[in-house]
């Protein structure tokens, strides 16, 4: 019969203090670890945090106990590295919403005059149409040739006009007839009569000389004797 003495160790020696290990071997020193493994080091059931039976594992992102979302890109893929750019585009280069000023989401665009953020007025013609090229002429006419306000001397806006005689800026007197009518063609005769017939001329062709042809047909009188015309 195998007798166990009170106070004896597993080696049968009283006071030795030796006990059997979990493997049934006396004084093997083996113990059941935190994972319930005989002689184990407590790591077989340890989580990624080093705590036995914590149940924690490394997720797809390499995070202990994580839920796998920390490294998900904007495309929903783990570790894709994709993020939303400044335009809100997943994996974009931030250019799709850049304004003409190079600033994302500024909303600025080139106007019809190719001015960034402009109002299309810098290249408007006088007709209000961008890039029409029309301008006010010297007469204030949009797209005009400056002819509508030219004076007769070719100078814009000087107000000069042709008079009734066709003279630029004239007073209409240069072509007046003696009847005071422009271009009537009427003139004073030698007697000072408008449109007259020179009735005041003497036979000597001098106005108002009073000299006449006498009865002998002599201008200014001739020699007579007893009523007979004498020759010179």
């Amino acid at each position: 019969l195998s007798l166990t003495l009170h106070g004896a160790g597993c080696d049968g020696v009283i006071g030795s203090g030796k006990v059997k290990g979990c493997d049934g071997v006396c004084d093997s020193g083996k113990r059941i670890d935190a994972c319930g493994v005989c002689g184990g080091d407590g790591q077989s059931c340890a989580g990624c945090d080093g705590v036995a039976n914590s149940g924690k594992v490394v997720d797809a992102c390499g995070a202990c106990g994580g839920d796998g979302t920390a490294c998900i890109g904007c495309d929903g893929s783990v570790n894709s590295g994709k993020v939303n750019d400044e335009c809100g585009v997943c994996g974009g280069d931030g250019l799709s919403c850049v304004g003409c000023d190079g600033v994302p989401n500024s909303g600025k665009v080139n106007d019809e005059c190719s001015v960034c953020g402009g109002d299309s007025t810098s290249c408007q013609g006088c007709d209000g149409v961008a890039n029409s090229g029309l301008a006010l002429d010297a007469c204030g006419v949009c797209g005009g040739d400056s002819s509508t306000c030219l004076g007769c001397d070719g100078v814009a806006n000087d107000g000069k006009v042709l008079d009734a005689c066709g003279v630029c800026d004239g007073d209409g007197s240069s072509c007046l007839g003696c009847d005071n009518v422009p271009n009537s063609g009427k003139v004073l005769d030698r007697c000072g009569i408008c449109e007259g017939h020179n009735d005041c001329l003497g036979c000597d062709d001098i106005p108002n000389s009073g000299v006449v042809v006498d009865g002998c047909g002599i201008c200014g009188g001739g020699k007579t004797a007893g009523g007979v015309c004498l020759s010179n």
Side-chain angles (χ1 to χ4, degrees):
L1 295 174
S2 176
L3 299 176
T4 300
L5 297 176
H6 181 70
C10 62
D11 58 355
V13 177
I14 294 174
S16 70
K18 294 182 178 180
V19 295
K20 289 183 178 179
C22 59
D23 56 357
V25 177
C26 181
D27 201 31
S28 67
K30 291 185 176 182
R31 301 286 186 271
I32 295 175
D33 65 9
C35 300
V37 177
C38 180
D41 59 3
Q43 294 299 310
S44 62
C45 68
C48 57
D49 56 355
V51 178
N53 298 304
S54 70
K56 291 186 178 181
V57 295
V58 175
D59 66 7
C61 301
C64 180
D67 59 2
T69 61
C71 64
I72 291 180
C74 56
D75 57 354
S77 299
V78 175
N79 295 309
S80 70
K82 291 186 177 181
V83 295
N84 287 326
D85 66 8
E86 291 179 279
C87 304
V89 177
C90 182
D93 57 6
L95 298 177
S96 61
C97 66
V98 170
C100 57
D101 55 355
V103 179
N105 298 303
S106 71
K108 292 187 176 180
V109 296
N110 287 325
D111 66 7
E112 294 180 279
C113 304
S114 298
V115 176
C116 182
D119 58 3
S120 297
T121 59
S122 61
C123 66
Q124 275 186 359
C126 55
D127 55 353
V129 178
N131 299 303
S132 70
L134 296 181
L136 295 175
D137 67 6
C139 303
V141 177
C142 182
D145 59 3
S146 297
S147 64
T148 56
C149 66
L150 287 183
C152 55
D153 56 355
V155 178
N157 296 304
D158 69 359
K160 292 184 178 181
V161 295
L162 295 174
D163 67 6
C165 302
V167 177
C168 183
D169 202 34
D171 60 4
S173 64
S174 61
C175 66
L176 286 181
C178 59
D179 55 356
N180 213 33
V181 176
N183 299 303
S184 69
K186 294 183 178 181
V187 296
L188 295 174
D189 68 5
R190 294 173 66 188
C191 302
I193 304 300
C194 183
E195 200 69 3
H197 299 91
N198 296 316
D199 293 336
C200 71
L201 291 180
C203 61
D204 55 0
D205 202 37
I206 297 174
N208 300 304
S209 68
V211 178
V212 298
V213 176
D214 67 6
C216 298
I218 304 298
C219 180
K223 296 178 179 179
T224 62
V228 177
C229 295
L230 300 176
S231 63
N232 293 327

